[in-house]
Amino acid sequence: MGNKSVGIRAVAWSAPTQVRGNDHWREHHPELVASAEQHSLAKVWARREAETPNLFDALMEPYLADPFRGAVERRILGPDESGLTMEVDAAKRALAAAKFSPSEVDLVLVSSFLPDQFGPGNAAYLVRELGLRCPGVNVESACSSALVSMDMAIAMIQAGRCRNALIVVSCSYSRMAPETDTLAWFLGDGAGALLIGEVPEGEGWLATHTIHTAQTCGTFRLDLEQDPLGRMFARMKASKDTAKINNEVGEPYLRECCFGALAKAGLRITDVDFLVANTPTAWYAEFAAQAIGLDPSKTISTYERFANTGTALIPMGLHAAAAQGKIRPGDRVLLYAVGSVSTAIASVFRWGEVALGTTQGLS
């Protein structure tokens, strides 16, 4: 059973309908834009006090003159939208693309960052909304949740515990960063879905390498605060050491995971046709490619249009790369995601005939 070829059968994403561009802040919060360098985003992505710039420093440098640090647009949840509504939409798009009925799904792994209610995540709510009969399990590994869930699903399928698994992830950052906080400038909302199952021999998953990111503990945190109406909400905060720590661990984490996965697959970086990394900054895709010795033309970023969508970055990036013809059947695709206060993970796949969900009229 362990020799089954397992891979991605379908990929889809969903995002709120409300688009918020940088002009929103220029119009409604001009004083915030004028004093941007004294606020949180500028402190998260700032120059280090180091004698020799590293690769991350060098690629970030051109963006430091921009108060928005390269973000152009982001999607923001509206009054009638939630993490769950995005999850349901992404899941339906993935199932429709694969021509799967809800009754055919054996397992659902869900990562909702954050859930729409205090306590358990959205898994049971998603199962109910989709009319599924299978278990729905909450998985949490911050921004690496999609790949961690994929690794779990592949193991379950290869072990014969299920035939397929639907992975659904969502990120509701706008609920954690008010528009009066400059952190909101690099954060967006979105969801993604990946249907994992058996694929033809020679396609699918080849290897994975995962490490912890305990060095990032304390970089980002969530504090409970009260809004003007007296309602409690979780607000994202960054520590004074966030910029330095995330900068300095970025390349070691990336290289250990990517080269670890490639070694397990018996491959070298020259064998990789394309890289999809989570892209929490405007320069991260180029950084990731250069750090492992890959031509930057062999990667993709959705950051300009959607900003940092956290857990949803991997499915959104995969879908964009496939829809634009940047990855094709037979290509060896390297996936990498890093989550603060969680894990970093890389997986290698041989891309197959992957069904792509419709995209709300967007490419």
Side-chain angles (χ1 to χ4, degrees):
M1 287 185 290
N3 293 325
K4 290 179 181 177
S5 294
V6 180
I8 302 170
R9 299 280 302 275
V11 58
W13 60 266
S14 178
T17 55
Q18 183 179 181
V19 180
R20 183 170 291 171
N22 296 343
D23 283 345
H24 173 86
W25 282 276
R26 294 189 180 103
E27 179 181 349
H28 297 284
H29 303 283
E31 73 293 338
L32 195 62
V33 177
S35 60
E37 295 307 308
Q38 280 72 56
H39 296 287
S40 50
L41 182 64
K43 295 175 183 177
V44 169
W45 306 124
R47 290 185 183 89
R48 286 186 313 143
E49 293 182 6
E51 290 184 9
T52 306
N54 61 18
L55 179 61
F56 195 92
D57 292 324
L59 294 177
M60 176 175 63
E61 183 66 29
Y63 295 92
L64 296 181
D66 175 12
F68 298 97
R69 296 300 194 261
V72 178
E73 293 182 345
R74 68 289 289 153
R75 298 300 187 92
I76 303 298
L77 288 170
D80 299 322
E81 296 174 315
S82 66
L84 181 61
T85 62
M86 293 190 295
E87 290 167 4
V88 170
D89 188 45
K92 286 181 176 179
R93 291 175 190 272
L95 293 177
K99 297 180 171 58
F100 257 57
S101 67
S103 62
E104 293 178 276
V105 180
D106 289 344
L107 174 67
V108 182
L109 300 177
V110 182
S111 175
S112 312
F113 196 79
L114 290 171
D116 294 322
Q117 57 288 315
F118 286 110
N122 288 352
Y125 298 89
L126 179 66
V127 166
R128 181 180 66 180
E129 291 296 316
L130 293 175
L132 301 174
R133 301 173 183 173
C134 65
V137 180
N138 293 299
V139 178
E140 194 283 306
S141 192
C143 295
S144 59
S145 293
L147 289 189
V148 170
S149 297
M150 190 186 307
D151 197 38
M152 295 169 62
I154 290 166
M156 292 281 284
I157 296 167
Q158 288 190 327
R161 299 288 299 276
C162 58
R163 295 166 300 169
N164 59 68
L166 179 64
I167 294 165
V168 184
V169 295
S170 71
C171 195
S172 304
Y173 274 144
S174 67
R175 299 284 163 86
M176 305 173 229
E179 64 177 88
T180 51
D181 184 343
T182 60
L183 279 183
W185 296 354
F186 95 112
L187 301 174
D189 301 327
L194 298 154
L195 181 64
I196 309 300
E198 290 192 52
V199 295
E201 186 176 354
E203 295 180 7
W205 175 82
L206 299 175
T208 293
H209 190 77
T210 311
I211 63 173
H212 69 73
T213 60
Q215 288 169 280
T216 65
C217 287
T219 53
F220 288 103
R221 69 181 190 277
L222 295 173
D223 291 346
L224 279 179
E225 294 192 359
Q226 198 171 51
D227 70 13
L229 297 178
R231 298 169 299 192
M232 301 302 294
F233 72 101
R235 182 165 181 174
M236 182 176 288
K237 298 286 185 68
S239 77
K240 62 181 179 60
D241 297 320
T242 296
K244 180 177 185 295
I245 293 172
N246 283 342
N247 180 313
E248 293 177 356
V249 301
E251 188 168 347
Y253 284 171
L254 173 71
R255 291 175 60 84
E256 182 174 352
C257 288
C258 291
F259 290 129
L262 289 172
K264 290 177 181 178
L267 299 173
R268 296 176 295 180
I269 193 62
T270 51
D271 298 315
V272 173
D273 296 298
F274 204 79
L275 166 70
V276 176
N278 63 339
T279 52
T281 69
W283 58 92
Y284 200 88
E286 184 177 2
F287 160 74
Q290 287 196 30
I292 58 174
L294 195 68
D295 187 326
S297 67
K298 293 184 176 182
T299 190
I300 193 167
S301 177
T302 58
Y303 187 83
E304 277 197 1
R305 297 181 62 198
F306 300 103
N308 175 10
T309 55
T311 55
L313 284 168
I314 288 294
M316 292 177 84
L318 267 176
H319 189 287
Q324 295 172 28
K326 294 180 182 292
I327 50 177
R328 300 178 175 85
D331 282 353
R332 286 174 289 252
V333 179
L334 177 61
L335 309 179
Y336 173 73
V338 57
S340 294
V341 200
S342 58
T343 55
I345 177 172
S347 292
V348 191
F349 282 78
R350 174 80 74 167
W351 196 252
E353 297 289 347
V354 178
L356 302 181
T358 55
T359 57
Q360 306 169 297
L362 298 169
S363 60

